[in-house]
Amino acid sequence: MDAQQLINDYFKAFNAGQTDRMLELLHDDVEHHVNEGKIRKGKELFAQFNAHMTHCYHEQLTDLVVFSNEAGDRAAAEFVVNGTYLNTDEGLPEANRQTYCLPAGSFFSIRDGKIARVTTYYNLSDWMAQVTG
């Protein structure tokens, strides 16, 4: 599977809520770099993060564009996050089913045909303004 197909499959699984499928696409030693957070290493911590996110947020990604280098070991994606804030996330404003829409991007390293690093960025100030406005 080429890098772009791998990343498209990852986001397809995300939008379908198929965490198990997402985990299948990850390298065992995956590093997950989250926006404004710590680096999580390994599939178990990735799964825990996804469970937390599913509890607090419902998100669908649209307008996905995937890029990759010729070697197929790095990729990037730009997309729009369309979400609903379901349950209050610690340290953030109270959730009351607020909706939000913001641009975001993810960067990937690929090793052995699997995603070895996921780094995601979005504008937290923009998100905060949308859920408190």
Side-chain angles (χ1 to χ4, degrees):
M1 174 183 324
D2 74 4
Q4 289 192 11
Q5 185 62 52
L6 177 65
I7 302 311
N8 274 304
D9 287 354
Y10 173 84
F11 284 115
K12 182 178 178 183
F14 178 93
N15 276 342
Q18 298 172 335
T19 301
D20 289 344
R21 175 66 179 139
M22 291 172 70
L23 291 173
E24 290 172 6
L25 300 170
L26 300 179
H27 194 280
D28 288 339
D29 299 324
V30 65
E31 289 190 0
H32 184 209
H33 302 234
V34 297
N35 199 69
E36 306 288 331
K38 298 177 183 177
I39 297 171
R40 294 170 172 80
K41 295 183 181 183
K43 286 184 177 183
E44 183 178 330
L45 291 179
F46 185 91
Q48 289 174 11
F49 176 81
N50 275 350
H52 169 78
M53 292 296 288
T54 299
H55 175 74
C56 293
Y57 310 91
H58 177 266
E59 296 179 330
Q60 286 290 296
L61 309 180
T62 59
D63 302 317
L64 178 68
V65 179
V66 177
F67 311 88
S68 64
N69 67 346
E70 287 185 26
D73 61 355
R74 291 179 36 208
E78 182 179 22
F79 47 89
V80 175
V81 180
N82 303 278
T84 303
Y85 188 27
L86 303 173
N87 292 292
T88 303
D89 200 345
E90 184 179 345
L92 296 175
E94 186 175 333
N96 190 25
R97 301 195 63 81
Q98 303 97 311
T99 58
Y100 52 92
C101 180
L102 66 151
S106 292
F107 302 90
F108 301 88
S109 294
I110 300 167
R111 187 170 68 241
D112 305 325
K114 303 272 186 167
I115 297 169
R117 175 185 57 90
V118 180
T119 303
T120 301
Y121 292 108
Y122 58 89
N123 186 325
L124 181 60
S125 295
D126 184 5
W127 181 86
M128 295 278 283
Q130 290 184 49
V131 300
T132 58

